[in-house]
Amino acid sequence: MSRFIFTSESVSEGHPDKVCDYISDSILDACLEQDPSSRVACETLCKSDTVVIAGEITTKAALDYNRIVRQAVKEIGYTDKSEAFCDTTLRLIEIVTQQSPQISQGVTAATSLSGDQGAGDQGIMFGYATDESAEMMPLPILLAHKLTKGLSDDRKSGKVSFLRPDSKSQVSVLYENNEPKEVTAVVISTQHTPDANQQTITEYVREQLGPRALGSWWRKDVTLYVNPTGDFSHGGPSADAGVTGRKIIVDSYGGWGRHGGGAFSGKDPSKVDRSSAYFCRYVARQVVAAGLAKRAELQVGYAIGMAKPVSVKVDTFGTGDWRAAEDFVSSAFDFRPRAIIEKLDLLRPIYRMTTNYGHFGRPGLPWEIVEKPLAVAR
């Protein structure tokens, strides 16, 4: 019998790296709201009282970076003027140029050598789906996200007054024969007001957050660590630096499905790092939903400026008919960037809603839809 414990982590929108992701995606959405043909590659760094935005943006949109950044920080919850990082007192540094014309000519259909919209860069993208949860996500990352989202909901509603924006969770799940059996350990680290002590926060997690967020997976005797250093009153960008794109495993499958290395946030869908990773997730879901496998992973590779991928690989991990799955994928799905953008309707300002608590496994996202019926080649 195969028996092992697998652990995944999540972080809240107040984590410094996620602050940066949210600012970058807020700028992207502001571009797409006015100009769907915008080309955006926006990076953000935050530390203490300073936010730096940098990158390459070509757009017809009129952008007020100062307003966009401050609004994003306010929405996250950093509004305390006694802290270094605050929406009304932060300073902004802008280092933004237009997209390189040499990249643009390869991405634009009218000028690309392929005669079609080419990939915005070379790279490899992965998509994964599993039947171990209704969301077709690995259970450890799914539960970890539920905990951090629960912390955020309780903070924003005012239900728990001592919570502050920066937090992390970690969930360990025991598997037998690749099936999840029980949660063995939970770690919660949450920023809090100076007057809250570790015992009070632990009681809240054990009596309220854990049972509500984990549901039937919660056990009263689970190994639980809450703020293991004892104090987490100083957090967020006031305490630590954040950078866009440093939480790519949190954003995807928690380490279970593989990752090609490219971050999502701040990139328009001409960047296959984002759009193709979303499409690979969409296709993996269709493979599992069609009954071709219990678990499915896709890998797609691109050359910059070329429309057709250089490779498409399907793996069912011995849980189904991989050859039928490959035939299904090759016959039913078009991995060219333009086709992906059209299929998932990606030239819309939808990206701020993807930033936090996972880009996969949440309702309302176009790549989380299961299409029925789909013809399966057998």
Side-chain angles (χ1 to χ4, degrees), residues 220-260:
K220 285 189 176 181
D221 60 345
V222 69
T223 299
L224 178 64
Y225 300 95
V226 177
N227 287 6
T229 66
D231 187 2
F232 188 8
S233 57
H234 185 44
S238 295
D240 298 307
V243 180
T244 298
R246 288 205 299 197
K247 289 293 176 281
I248 60 176
I249 301 304
V250 170
D251 286 345
S252 53
Y253 306 103
W256 191 286
R258 286 176 283 191
H259 196 294

Side-chain angles (χ1 to χ4, degrees), residues 126-130 133-138 141-142 145 251-253 264 274-289 340 343-346 348 350 353-354 356-372 374:
F126 288 91
Y128 182 81
T130 173
S133 67
E135 296 85 351
M136 295 191 187
M137 287 291 288
I141 187 66
L142 182 68
H145 285 323
D251 286 345
S252 53
Y253 306 103
F264 302 149
R274 187 169 211 165
S275 56
S276 182
Y278 289 172
F279 193 62
C280 285
R281 162 66 176 172
Y282 168 79
V283 175
R285 280 180 61 94
Q286 312 314 309
V287 171
V288 173
I340 291 173
K343 176 66 179 177
L344 299 181
D345 195 11
L346 296 180
R348 298 177 290 152
I350 61 172
M353 67 182 287
T354 71
N356 297 302
Y357 311 111
H359 290 244
F360 310 123
R362 294 191 290 120
L365 302 175
W367 45 92
E368 292 300 310
I369 295 171
V370 172
E371 305 263 356
K372 294 181 179 179
L374 282 174

